Amino acid sequence: MTTAAIIVAAGRGIRAGGGVPKQWRSLAGRRVADWTLDRLRGAVDHVVLVLSEDDRAPWDEFRKSDLILAPGGADRAGSVRNGLQALTGLGVEKVLIHDVARPCVSARIIKDVIEALNTHQAAAPGLAVTDALWVGSEDTVKGVQDRSSLFAAQTPQGFHYDAIVAAHAAHSGGAADDVEVARAAGLDVHIVPGDADNLKITRPEDFARAERILGTEMDVRLGNGYDVHRFGDGDHVILCGIKIPHSRGLQGHSDADVGMHAVTDAIYGALAQGDIGQHFPPSDPQWKGAASEIFLRHAVALASDMGYAISNVDCTLVCEFPKIGPHALTMREEMSKIMGLRADQVSVKATTSERLGFTGRSEGIAALATACLVKS
Ligand code: MG
């Protein structure tokens, strides 16, 4: 089933201010149109962008892209008709028609509209009106309006392609949207749940609201870390920042804190910023015997510089001895202090490997860690 979307971007958008049509104004670091295009691009097979003949730069820019371009018409309906015509011969069965000024439309709404077209000729998101409605004149309430059957219309509005082409051809003009055109042609329009965040940028203050919506979308990153250090001579080990008396020590270029190294690498991993060895080469003598908290502090600072907050870390130490349990809480407290986190954001636990393998034969200690970072 071939699906397409038409994004109507030929309007002049003067009410939103800013001196250029609103679809070309910046919103959270990108143009409004770029946000909107990304929302639809991944969801359908073809995207038509309807552009005003006056917007020469976007014509030149998008001509090199995967988009199908169509010229704006004398009014919105004319632009939609040009967009529909641009899809001729592509075998499109379902078409979504979307306002470029709704850049916050969710993947859920797009999917709901496309799916509803399996069983309906037309479908569109509607938001039930929850505020009481008044009828007024000037500054006086003259009456109330029953809201129980009222919906705020949103886009994308979806249609069977042939049906909406015929409906537009038969319409005499002046419709507020494509649902009105479809209904005039006798199509039943199914309502899917809209979303208050799917706002249409109309007034200057709408930009701030859209930025808040786009800016709070979750960017969550996970990373894992794994490290091993070999036992050698010594009378203590340092694990997760805690010195533990032991009949042997761990060998390594730094203080060989295998747990802290795994946590550090998990943070670098979440950031896709390599590993400890890249940031602190073992060949560099200045890190000989270094306290591993230097590495951990560096990874935490890098996360912060890149705009991420560490949500939690989880570290598992694999060894038969020393016993970790009695020290686990102190380790959590020590690492949380270094990372500027609460102890309940840091987990340290241990397992043996049932005397199997190098950890089971007490030849060394292994550690695994996971870190979760959230864009702040
Ligand atoms: Mg190491």
Side-chain angles (χ1 to χ4, degrees):
M1 177 85 61
T2 304
T3 58
I6 296 170
I7 296 176
V8 188
R12 300 290 81 197
I14 45 175
R15 275 180 295 171
V20 292
K22 59 190 173 187
Q23 60 270 34
W24 308 123
R25 278 187 61 185
S26 180
L27 173 71
R30 311 169 69 198
R31 294 171 301 187
V32 171
D34 296 319
W35 287 105
T36 310
L37 284 166
D38 272 7
R39 302 277 151 155
L40 274 303
R41 257 178 170 147
V44 297
D45 301 302
H46 304 286
V47 176
V48 178
L49 180 62
V50 183
L51 291 171
S52 165
E53 302 277 14
D54 295 335
D55 291 333
R56 294 320 305 173
W59 274 97
D60 292 341
E61 173 188 344
F62 289 115
R63 220 188 294 279
K64 299 168 207 138
S65 74
D66 57 330
L67 301 172
I68 300 167
L69 303 185
D75 56 10
R76 188 183 179 285
S79 292
V80 171
R81 282 196 299 274
N82 290 350
L84 289 167
Q85 193 180 359
L87 291 166
T88 304
L90 293 174
V92 171
E93 287 155 284
K94 298 176 180 178
V95 62
L96 309 186
I97 301 171
H98 187 60
D99 295 324
V100 71
R102 291 188 192 269
C104 305
V105 62
S106 67
R108 195 274 302 164
I109 288 183
I110 295 168
K111 179 169 145 282
D112 281 0
V113 172
I114 292 173
E115 280 182 8
L117 293 176
N118 291 337
T119 46
H120 301 88
Q121 283 187 306
L127 195 61
V129 173
T130 54
D131 292 332
L133 295 177
W134 297 333
V135 179
S137 69
E138 299 288 326
D139 54 1
T140 306
V141 177
K142 299 288 188 187
V144 293
Q145 170 78 48
D146 176 25
R147 66 177 183 267
S148 60
S149 61
L150 294 181
F151 292 82
Q154 300 189 335
T155 72
Q157 299 179 350
F159 308 92
H160 288 193
Y161 177 76
D162 292 339
I164 193 66
V165 168
H168 265 283
H171 201 267
S172 53
D177 63 7
D178 301 287
V179 162
E180 190 176 336
V181 172
R183 282 183 37 78
L187 302 184
D188 282 329
V189 182
H190 179 69
I191 301 174
V192 305
D195 183 345
D197 284 350
N198 184 20
L199 79 161
K200 182 175 183 178
I201 293 178
T202 309
R203 300 155 302 178
E205 58 269 31
D206 294 334
F207 279 87
R209 200 180 141 212
E211 282 197 339
R212 277 199 300 276
I213 293 165
L214 295 169
T216 55
E217 288 192 355
M218 293 285 276
D219 179 355
V220 177
R221 288 174 160 243
L222 297 180
N224 68 64
Y226 176 67
D227 198 20
V228 172
H229 282 264
R230 173 195 298 272
F231 276 122
D233 292 338
D235 60 2
H236 70 276
V237 294
I238 294 175
L239 292 173
C240 298
I242 301 302
K243 182 174 175 179
I244 303 172
H246 192 50
S247 55
R248 316 192 71 190
L250 286 173
Q251 295 182 341
H253 194 73
S254 64
D255 64 7
D257 189 332
V258 62
M260 202 174 283
H261 293 180
V263 169
T264 304
D265 269 351
I267 296 167
Y268 286 134
L271 298 168
Q273 290 291 318
D275 56 25
I276 293 177
Q278 284 177 24
H279 294 282
F280 302 92
S283 55
D284 187 337
Q286 69 169 307
W287 310 123
K288 187 164 174 56
S292 294
E293 70 171 78
I294 294 171
F295 313 152
L296 183 56
R297 286 186 193 281
H298 177 264
V300 171
L302 186 59
S304 171
D305 289 347
M306 290 176 69
Y308 289 87
I310 297 170
S311 177
N312 75 300
V313 297
D314 181 19
C315 177
T316 301
L317 298 164
V318 187
C319 58
E320 304 289 328
F321 296 101
K323 288 298 173 200
I324 303 302
H327 306 285
L329 179 60
T330 327
M331 292 173 173
R332 291 173 52 202
E333 288 170 350
E334 176 66 15
M335 288 214 295
S336 63
K337 213 166 62 193
I338 293 167
M339 289 189 278
L341 301 178
R342 301 184 313 273
D344 68 359
Q345 294 173 283
V346 179
S347 158
V348 175
K349 57 197 194 299
T351 183
T352 71
S353 47
E354 299 284 343
R355 304 192 176 211
L356 297 171
F358 70 88
T359 51
R361 294 188 299 270
S362 289
E363 294 168 358
I365 298 181
L368 305 90
T370 302
C372 176
L373 276 56
V374 180
K375 189 93 178 180
S376 49

